[in-house]
Amino acid sequence: MTIRTHSKKADDQERPAAARFKKETFEEHADGRGSRLDISHYHLTRHIISDQFFQIMADKGISSTAVNALAGEGRLGQLVQDLILRVDNGAVGELINSAVNAFPMDKISGVTYHGSETENMWIDLAIKHGKNWRSDTNGRRTKSGMGATPLFSLDKYDYNLLGGTNISKTPIIVIGAGPAGLMATAQLIRMGFDRRNITVIDKSGEYGGIWNQRNVYEGGINSPYEFNFSGIYLESAPASGRVAKDFLSMIRHNNNLPTVVKGKVVEVIPSDLNHVVSSMEDGKLVTRTAALVINAIGNGLPLNPNRPGHMTTDTPGNAGIRWQKILQAGEASGEKVRGAKVVLIGLGNSTAEMLMQIQELNEAGYGIDYRVLTHYPANAVCNPTEEVVMNGKAYRVYRDLSIPNLTKYEGDLEEPRRAYERALYEGRIISDVSHWNMGEGKIHVVANGSEMALECTTLFTLIGYGHYPETLRRMGMKVTDEYKGTIATDYDGEVHRPEPIKDNGNRRNYIYPGYFALGAVAKTDSNPNAIVMPGIMHRMYDMLFTAALRAQEYRQAQEIVELTRKHLRTLKGSEEDIERIVSVAVEQVANTDMLGGILRE
């Protein structure tokens, strides 16, 4: 995606309020006592709060009553400080609470944010390109990249900010118990949401996701960073996949997560803080309703190998091995490929894992003849650390840690880099492939306009994963790419409606308030890191902030409903009439700008 460059003034005007607020909200200065927050110019603070923070709330269609109520309870500032700005200076939270209490949020017309991928990218980059606060002692800002961070920490307060409040009783459903669902559930509980009101549903019936699969946990991890998830650490690569499995297990046990419900979610009917989730459990259809739903359904299934513009094929989508395998000398897995003619389609991290294993087996005398097919042009393959532009498209084989994009080939790590260089030196990487086809023990290849045939006894097609569009639509999601299975979300993961209710500029009409996508299901071209743990941790900051505000809205809506029901009973109406009128009130509550008016009535 191309980002236009122009003057800073024009640039700031184009960026949504969330990007400006995260990047440039406050300046810090050093005095004789060290770092402090300069709050001497109160009019500037008021200007920032009213023009930027309140605009962020309006851009999300968040109720002004919810914002003002959380500030009045002294909770809003802490949420903003830790989850939006990611700083440690307690004066920031106090300042925000004071400013909002002194000058409460009122209805704001107009939006600076429309939920586009470009806007989401600006917001993802805001922390990375923002000021480095001296009070950023644990590095929540300085360690952030584009949609990725190795650090998620609220440890300073051991949080529980919402514990004991009505907000904590908000019903929540988490779909999927892999890394995204597990980490989200853990942090919801740490924030104070009652675990008894959180339902986690996964088809396996257990936490861990792909890290429970032998072909994953017996492989290696490829993170260049050490992770810190609320004081639980995962070492950087090189390391066995078992340490990642243990890392997730420790998060589960340290936070006493609820037992996973074994079931396959077949449909989500989202609405406004009233989402219906249906799952098959023990052969029965079970339906649940929740105010907050976090959809973390994971990687999905292998992508169709026939992809126009990259590599096309007539070979069926299920041909070949679609997941990386563990190949060990002296075991059946290794013996199966002894003397084999192996072809690997794709040049990502799964291929890196296979290259290292195949070369190790060959050093033990297994005699495996292998080739790698890729659509990357020869210039990019020969210069994997460089970005090469061909016919208007940019190609880079190795991942770029300065951004970072963590999903490309892990060439920054020594062993994968050596495996790549060896394959390149031996002429085993075939570039510029536009078409391939499997037939009669051979792969027929068209590369750079020339045809060739390669012997093949074992085929690995390792080109990534995604969800079928039909699956995503059954989840109530707006599909943006039929092939990749990508969806439209806001920067906090809140899911877009396929069509707006009303095209009147109110963001609430364009999204499903309280319905979030997290992890691989939320990946896009501008957010590739969604599929890896640093991407999940980055997204959780904004997601949890919005979830807290939505929970506040839900609490206020419930209070209105109960007040309405109580008032109608004093009029001695029939239960049928009471519930009919209450249902109308519930619909009105969905437009939370009307909360104050409904309460007065």
Side-chain angles (χ1 to χ4, degrees), residues 15-248:
R15 296 186 186 186
R20 300 198 306 273
F21 188 70
K22 285 171 177 281
K23 182 174 183 287
E24 300 173 349
T25 299
F26 298 101
E27 279 280 3
E28 286 190 322
H29 303 276
D31 58 16
R33 293 166 295 178
S35 175
R36 66 180 177 85
L37 181 70
D38 184 0
I39 57 175
S40 58
H41 301 292
Y42 187 74
H43 68 280
L44 176 61
T45 301
R46 178 185 173 188
H47 168 78
I48 290 171
I49 295 296
S50 60
D51 286 5
Q52 290 190 19
F53 177 68
F54 285 167
Q55 185 64 60
I56 295 171
M57 300 297 94
D59 286 347
K60 289 291 301 172
I62 291 174
S63 161
S64 57
T65 4
V67 174
N68 296 334
L70 279 174
E73 295 172 359
R75 304 177 197 276
L76 178 68
Q78 192 75 71
L79 291 168
V80 174
Q81 171 185 309
D82 289 338
L83 297 174
I84 293 185
L85 296 176
R86 307 186 196 179
V87 294
D88 305 329
N89 194 321
V92 176
E94 296 170 8
L95 182 61
I96 289 170
N97 285 332
S98 299
V100 176
N101 287 327
F103 304 97
M105 180 178 172
D106 201 353
K107 186 174 181 179
I108 295 177
S109 59
V111 295
T112 67
Y113 172 72
H114 303 86
S116 71
E117 275 199 53
T118 300
E119 290 172 315
N120 290 346
M121 185 165 59
W122 280 127
I123 296 169
D124 278 348
L125 284 167
I127 298 289
K128 174 179 170 63
H129 290 165
K131 295 180 174 66
N132 291 329
W133 293 42
R134 294 183 182 89
S135 60
D136 184 26
T137 54
N138 63 11
R140 284 186 292 183
R141 287 184 69 89
T142 53
K143 292 181 180 179
S144 289
M146 178 180 168
T149 178
L151 171 64
F152 189 99
S153 176
L154 303 175
D155 279 344
K156 184 176 180 181
Y157 306 95
D158 198 23
Y159 235 58
N160 199 32
L161 183 66
L162 307 178
T165 68
N166 286 339
I167 290 179
S168 68
K169 301 175 184 177
T170 303
I172 302 172
I173 294 174
V174 179
I175 305 172
L182 185 156
M183 289 195 284
T185 303
Q187 286 304 330
L188 287 167
I189 291 171
R190 288 178 62 82
M191 285 182 69
F193 287 100
D194 192 330
R195 60 175 48 81
R196 293 170 296 184
N197 294 314
I198 300 175
T199 302
V200 182
I201 308 172
D202 190 277
K203 61 184 179 181
S204 71
E206 59 183 353
Y207 288 103
I210 63 170
W211 290 100
N212 290 331
Q213 298 173 195
R214 180 176 178 268
N215 66 313
V216 178
Y217 69 73
E218 287 199 358
I221 62 173
N222 58 35
S223 172
Y225 316 114
E226 177 186 67
F227 294 170
N228 174 0
F229 185 80
S230 294
I232 300 173
Y233 292 85
L234 172 62
E235 63 187 276
S236 61
S240 164
R242 290 182 181 273
V243 300
K245 181 178 172 66
D246 293 342
F247 169 74
L248 295 172

Side-chain angles (χ1 to χ4, degrees), residues 446-473:
V446 178
N448 203 21
S450 300
E451 297 184 11
M452 67 182 75
L454 304 173
E455 289 188 68
C456 178
T457 59
T458 306
L459 171 65
F460 288 87
T461 306
L462 307 173
I463 56 172
Y465 313 97
H467 292 278
Y468 292 141
E470 302 80 29
T471 299
L472 298 172
R473 292 190 179 101

Side-chain angles (χ1 to χ4, degrees), residues 376-384 386-390 397 431-432:
Y376 282 113
N379 198 13
V381 169
C382 294
N383 300 279
E386 304 296 326
E387 184 174 276
V388 174
V389 178
M390 297 283 291
V397 177
S431 63
D432 296 286

